[in-house]
Amino acid sequence: MKIIYPLIWSLFLLSACQEKDILQVDTTYNALNILKGEFGEIKYPESYSFNAYFLGVGANDYILYIPVRLSGLIDYDNDRTYRVRLNPGKSKLVEAGVHYSLDTIQTFRKGLAEDSIPLTIHVSALNETDDYKIYLELLPNETFSTGVKELQFIEIDFMKNVNTPPLFWTGNSKLSKFTYHPRKCIKFLEISKITDPEWSDPGNSVIIDYWIQLATQWFADHEEYDENNNRIFFDE
């Protein structure tokens, strides 16, 4: 049995213009959209950034689940398939089956208004110098039409190094004040024991101050130098 599922997409934070628009969905029209920006009270990433360095030595696979939302009818009796693809022109340094695995035919399960696309990153195949990118797209088929233009793709950047500041550093009001260096980041991760690639903190938790204090003291007690032979201090 199929029933009409009334949907109102409201207040989406669109990546191109960062403006919130209201879209009222025609329930006779079935489409899928990758969730980005604000939906209801939930805020989804505009893109994903994954750093395999957090997982430690010997890590194998990391699975990222990308939420997909139905616009139209919920089918309570049948699973429905849809297509996805990696855009080769907009992706970077990735090879299917080597750096990642992705089923191009996905299943939107019966009875759901929201499902997800599992994307597996093969961590052991990544080197410690390159930055990788996957540009993932939804493709219309006989079951689902094209949805909202800005919600038909998602970018996933990933790496296995800390050569550039991770999002957890740049997005933290306290850490971002310090000049970045990979050695600072490595020591901070060792002290904090953070192992979640998606970990973030805006800088208002007490534990951040404690970790910064420990890292600052460590670099004061241990002489570390950068590529120009300048002494590294954490809180500079």
Side-chain angles (χ1 to χ4, degrees):
M1 175 184 69
K2 294 183 179 179
I3 70 170
I4 293 180
Y5 184 85
L7 273 180
I8 294 180
W9 287 87
S10 61
L11 301 179
F12 267 112
L13 182 63
L14 299 181
S15 58
C17 60
Q18 299 297 308
E19 294 180 355
K20 294 179 180 179
D21 296 328
I22 297 177
L23 173 68
Q24 186 168 358
V25 175
D26 179 356
T27 55
T28 64
Y29 177 85
N30 288 319
L32 296 177
N33 296 287
I34 295 174
L35 285 173
K36 296 191 289 186
E38 294 181 6
F39 180 69
E41 297 180 354
I42 303 176
K43 185 174 182 179
Y44 296 89
E46 293 288 351
S47 61
Y48 292 88
S49 180
F50 162 66
N51 195 329
Y53 184 91
F54 287 74
L55 301 178
V57 177
N60 293 316
D61 290 342
Y62 176 76
I63 303 177
L64 181 65
Y65 293 93
I66 301 167
V68 179
R69 184 81 180 183
L70 171 67
S71 173
L73 301 174
I74 289 182
D75 191 330
Y76 283 93
D77 298 321
N78 305 292
D79 291 336
R80 291 178 283 183
T81 60
Y82 62 100
R83 297 175 59 211
V84 298
R85 78 153 188 162
L86 178 144
N87 186 314
K90 296 182 179 181
S91 300
K92 178 182 176 184
L93 299 176
V94 287
E95 181 180 348
V98 177
H99 304 105
Y100 74 95
S101 292
L102 173 70
D103 290 332
T104 56
I105 304 297
Q106 295 284 324
T107 299
F108 199 92
R109 291 169 291 174
K110 61 184 178 182
L112 299 182
E114 181 179 326
D115 212 330
S116 61
I117 305 169
L119 171 66
T120 302
I121 306 296
H122 301 305
V123 175
S124 59
L126 309 181
N127 62 47
E128 296 187 0
T129 56
D130 289 326
D131 292 343
Y132 305 86
K133 178 189 285 291
I134 287 177
Y135 190 99
L136 182 65
E137 298 175 326
L138 293 173
L139 297 177
N141 64 359
E142 64 279 0
T143 305
F144 296 105
S145 302
T146 303
V148 181
K149 180 180 178 181
E150 293 84 356
L151 304 179
Q152 298 304 292
F153 67 91
I154 192 75
E155 293 180 327
I156 303 102
D157 295 289
F158 56 101
M159 64 204 74
K160 191 165 68 174
N161 63 68
V162 288
N163 296 334
T164 57
L167 286 178
F168 89 84
W169 187 288
T170 58
N172 185 283
S173 62
K174 295 175 181 176
L175 290 172
S176 61
K177 293 179 180 178
F178 305 141
T179 302
Y180 182 79
H181 192 277
R183 284 296 301 154
K184 292 184 181 183
C185 185
I186 290 170
K187 182 51 62 177
F188 183 84
L189 291 175
E190 290 177 0
I191 289 171
S192 64
K193 295 181 172 57
I194 295 170
T195 57
D196 180 3
E198 299 181 40
W199 181 88
S200 65
D201 185 291
N204 55 5
S205 65
V206 176
I207 192 64
I208 288 291
D209 296 316
Y210 177 65
W211 289 337
I212 289 175
Q213 180 183 354
L214 292 180
T216 299
Q217 188 61 51
W218 191 92
F219 279 94
D221 296 338
H222 299 80
E223 294 188 7
E224 293 266 335
Y225 295 88
D226 64 16
E227 298 76 10
N228 298 316
N229 206 33
N230 295 315
R231 177 84 182 268
I232 299 175
F233 292 97
F234 189 85
D235 57 345
E236 291 184 354

